[in-house]
Amino acid sequence: MYKLIEVRSRKEIRDFIEFPLRLYKGNPYFVPPLYGDEMKLFRKDDYHLKDNEVAFYSVYDGKRIVGRVQAILSRTSNERRGQKRVRFTRFDAIDDQEVAHLLLSKVEEFARERGMDEVCGPLGYSDLDREGLLIEGFDQLSTFEEQYNFDYYQRLIEKEGYEKEVDWVERKIFAPKEIDPKIGRIVQRTMERARLHVVRGMSTRKIVDRYGDAFFDLIDDAYKDLYQTVPFSKGERQELIKTFKLVISARWLRIIVDENDKVVCVGLCFPSIGEALQKSGGRLTPIALLRLLRAVRKPKVLDLALIAIDRKYQNSGVAWAIFHELQLMLKEGNIEHCETNLNLEDNENIQNNWSRFETVLHKRRRAFLKKIA
């Protein structure tokens, strides 16, 4: 007989975090999140708790955990959109409808108790959290930034009354065999006319110190109309800036500024670290750290973290400059391919820009919605 509990004790927290590691043990496509980052979510001083109300639930079969889910009430997102929603995330379960029902109905109960009338997901705290349910591409290695799931998850969720709200698609993009020098000259003239230039010759630390806040301001503004995005909180900015100084290489970062040194375009990639973390279950053991360092120093694959363009330039020739820089990055870095991660299928601006590359659409993810009132 199954039993649903709210996660509270140290053992329950450990079970919650480690359940997907056991569920996907031996799966060649699953990439775990960092174990330490997942543990931070249960701290009473977690910065997410300032703007969100959360709960974690697990289902047990005797002493064995068989499912888990997190509920998030994002006050910032609801206020921004005039909605009354709760999100679900970190949904994992064995292939059993009863387990899925216990988990999702508990999220719905959490929502109703707080006067909400909709549940959507999978969605995390922000656009940088893992989001979307994989519905195509089950034979593709997940990126570190996104979550893998079995194909039966879609059936479990839909049988509980959830329907598609949006889809994201993911592509592999490849460096061009040759870059037409005419394009470079056109980009250069366009940049000169607009009095823009690419920031070069600065260390990562100096870039982050100088442009960190402007970086997040640009992303917040450029992404604010995209599906369920929320602005970065002060705590999230501080945490990410500390992380960026440690893991970002200026080699994979492009920032374009205007004549007043205002940031107008940003492109950021990370070396792919998924395979380096698979064997350690996301734990940063000494061996895992060695694998991680090798992956970061000599990457064969890049993960595109984000591209953000000032609204003033989104429909201009200047916007192409950041994509030209991405081409150069792939070509000069001898990169096999770059994973775009999630792009909304109806985001015509980004989809049109990929037409300039050789690409393969290899994954699709979905966010679901259920009205509960």
Side-chain angles (χ1 to χ4, degrees):
M1 184 176 179
Y2 294 135
K3 178 182 179 182
L4 182 139
I5 61 104
E6 184 170 357
V7 176
R8 298 186 186 279
S9 74
R10 186 172 299 179
K11 178 185 180 303
E12 292 164 356
I13 292 172
R14 188 170 62 251
D15 285 348
F16 185 96
I17 294 172
E18 295 180 359
F19 174 60
L21 304 181
R22 295 198 294 271
L23 187 65
Y24 293 100
K25 186 176 181 179
N27 185 293
Y29 311 116
F30 171 77
V31 172
L34 288 175
Y35 194 94
D37 286 349
E38 294 297 286
M39 285 294 293
K40 288 178 184 178
L41 298 175
F42 292 90
R43 289 172 44 171
K44 292 181 180 179
D45 62 350
D46 178 30
Y47 60 82
H48 292 111
L49 299 180
K50 182 179 179 180
D51 301 310
N52 301 276
E53 189 172 352
V54 306
F56 301 85
Y57 303 106
S58 295
V59 172
Y60 284 82
D61 182 4
K63 295 183 179 181
R64 181 175 69 103
I65 183 172
V66 292
R68 69 169 198 167
V69 75
Q70 180 187 5
I72 301 175
L73 195 166
S74 173
R75 289 185 284 270
T76 303
S77 180
N78 283 344
E79 289 168 5
R80 170 179 278 195
R81 297 175 174 84
Q83 295 175 331
K84 300 169 72 176
R85 286 189 172 189
V86 159
R87 305 172 173 206
F88 74 87
T89 185
R90 293 175 173 82
F91 172 82
D92 287 290
I94 62 172
D95 190 1
D96 189 308
Q97 195 64 46
E98 183 180 353
V99 173
H101 176 73
L102 287 169
L103 292 168
L104 293 174
S105 62
K106 188 63 179 177
V107 175
E108 293 159 21
E109 180 183 320
F110 172 94
R112 289 191 185 95
E113 288 174 349
R114 288 154 182 81
M116 302 295 106
D117 55 23
E118 294 178 324
V119 174
C120 64
L123 286 172
Y125 293 105
S126 75
D127 199 47
L128 293 186
D129 214 352
R130 294 183 170 195
E131 58 189 359
L133 189 83
L134 187 67
I135 61 170
E136 293 176 13
F138 300 103
D139 60 348
Q140 299 292 316
L141 177 67
S142 183
T143 64
F144 169 71
E145 296 82 12
E146 301 305 336
Q147 182 73 7
Y148 183 83
N149 58 261
F150 289 127
D151 58 358
Y152 64 78
Y153 278 36
Q154 182 179 357
R155 167 170 44 83
L156 294 180
I157 290 172
E158 288 179 344
K159 283 193 174 181
E160 293 303 311
Y162 289 80
E163 298 179 346
K164 171 186 173 179
E165 185 165 36
V166 299
D167 275 7
W168 295 270
V169 293
E170 300 179 52
R171 300 175 187 270
K172 290 181 181 179
I173 59 174
F174 301 90
K177 294 181 176 61
E178 298 294 337
I179 297 178
D180 188 341
K182 292 181 181 178
I183 295 177
R185 290 194 292 269
I186 292 170
V187 168
Q188 183 178 354
R189 286 197 297 269
T190 303
M191 295 273 282
E192 288 173 353
R193 282 198 298 270
R195 298 182 180 180
L196 304 176
H197 66 274
V198 180
V199 174
R200 302 192 192 278
M202 292 177 64
S203 68
T204 301
R205 183 172 292 274
K206 286 185 177 179
I207 289 174
V208 173
D209 286 341
R210 184 166 180 172
Y211 299 109
D213 283 333
F215 176 94
F216 290 113
D217 289 342
L218 174 63
I219 297 168
D220 280 343
D221 185 63
Y223 283 25
K224 68 181 181 181
D225 295 330
L226 298 182
Y227 176 73
Q228 294 295 303
T229 54
V230 295
F232 293 103
S233 67
K234 182 179 179 180
E236 194 166 18
R237 288 186 179 213
Q238 292 173 342
E239 187 74 17
L240 286 169
I241 285 174
K242 286 192 296 184
T243 302
F244 284 180
K245 288 181 178 180
L246 294 173
V247 304
I248 285 182
S249 168
R251 186 182 181 191
W252 313 121
L253 172 64
R254 295 292 187 272
I255 293 179
I256 298 176
V257 298
D258 67 12
E259 60 184 327
N260 299 312
D261 209 31
K262 177 187 175 184
V263 178
V264 299
C265 294
V266 169
L268 173 61
C269 291
F270 295 119
S272 176
I273 61 173
E275 291 182 351
L277 292 174
Q278 282 182 316
K279 293 183 179 179
S280 70
R283 294 177 175 86
L284 293 180
T285 63
I287 294 177
L289 280 170
L290 286 174
R291 292 195 198 102
L292 197 63
L293 288 173
R294 283 198 295 268
V296 169
R297 286 172 182 166
K298 293 185 177 180
K300 295 180 180 179
V301 176
L302 294 179
D303 294 347
L304 180 61
L306 56 89
I307 288 177
I309 304 170
D310 188 307
R311 289 170 180 269
K312 177 181 175 182
Y313 299 99
Q314 284 181 1
N315 296 312
S316 72
V318 173
W320 171 232
I322 201 71
F323 290 92
H324 179 62
E325 287 293 323
L326 179 57
Q327 283 188 333
L328 294 172
M329 188 190 300
L330 299 180
K331 184 74 173 175
E332 296 169 1
N334 197 28
I335 301 298
E336 291 179 1
H337 71 270
C338 178
E339 295 270 352
T340 64
N341 283 312
L342 276 65
N343 299 152
L344 286 164
E345 65 176 351
D346 60 356
N347 185 340
E348 293 183 1
N349 286 336
I350 191 70
Q351 300 298 345
N352 289 339
N353 276 302
W354 296 139
S355 66
R356 305 172 188 265
F357 293 75
E358 178 188 348
T359 72
V360 174
L361 195 159
H362 64 311
K363 297 177 194 170
R364 181 178 292 268
R365 296 180 187 273
R366 179 164 296 171
F368 296 86
L369 175 67
K370 181 178 180 179
K371 298 184 183 298
I372 58 171

